[in-house]
Amino acid sequence: MHLNMLKCKIHRATVTHAELNYEGSIAIDGNLLDAAGMREYEQIHAWNIDNGERFVTYALRAEEGSGIISVNGSAARRVSPGDLLIIAAFVGLSEAELAKYQPDLVYVDADNRITHTNHSIPKQAA
């Protein structure tokens, strides 16, 4: 049996561009891709914190240190510059692989600069 687990995420990234007529995808600052362990052309899920829209596309590498989060193609209709996104990728793992499994979590500021990373999400309190 394989379980579909969170591989990595970039938390609260700010959309810098929405390019309807650019070939589809999300261009992501290469530093963020590397920190999260996302690969160019990997399938990603994006969740818009501001309007609740959710979509699936793939990652493209933007210039390292640029802070770019550009949502392109039809997905550009689901965001506006300034919106906050959670960008995540998933991986299928066997029961044996779960023993050493940890997701890579990247947290960013309003300029899409890394503030910190983690490998677990704090337990939610009541």
Side-chain angles (χ1 to χ4, degrees):
M1 173 172 63
H2 277 81
L3 297 169
N4 197 27
M5 304 295 292
L6 177 66
K7 173 187 166 194
C8 56
K9 76 172 181 173
I10 302 168
H11 193 75
R12 298 180 66 90
T14 302
V15 174
T16 59
H17 302 81
E19 302 288 342
L20 182 61
N21 294 311
Y22 186 80
E23 192 171 345
S25 63
I26 297 181
I28 301 170
D29 179 320
N31 290 342
L32 300 179
L33 284 180
D34 293 344
M38 286 181 191
R39 296 178 184 247
E40 189 169 26
Y41 305 114
E42 182 173 7
Q43 181 184 72
I44 57 93
H45 296 246
W47 307 307
N48 189 324
I49 295 168
D50 290 290
N51 65 20
E53 291 281 355
R54 294 170 166 255
F55 52 95
V56 177
T57 187
Y58 59 93
L60 283 180
R61 179 176 290 273
E63 182 180 348
E64 285 76 8
S66 65
I68 289 175
I69 301 290
S70 182
V71 180
N72 304 313
S74 63
R77 295 188 185 278
R78 298 177 181 266
V79 302
S80 295
D83 284 357
L84 297 177
L85 298 181
I86 299 169
I87 303 168
F90 294 84
V91 64
L93 299 174
S94 68
E95 291 284 346
E97 291 170 314
L98 284 174
K100 55 187 172 209
Y101 159 76
Q102 290 184 319
D104 292 313
L105 312 173
V106 176
Y107 298 86
V108 298
D109 64 16
D111 295 317
N112 295 325
R113 306 286 184 250
I114 298 170
T115 59
H116 64 286
T117 61
N118 209 339
H119 295 290
S120 65
I121 298 171
K123 289 191 183 350
Q124 185 170 348

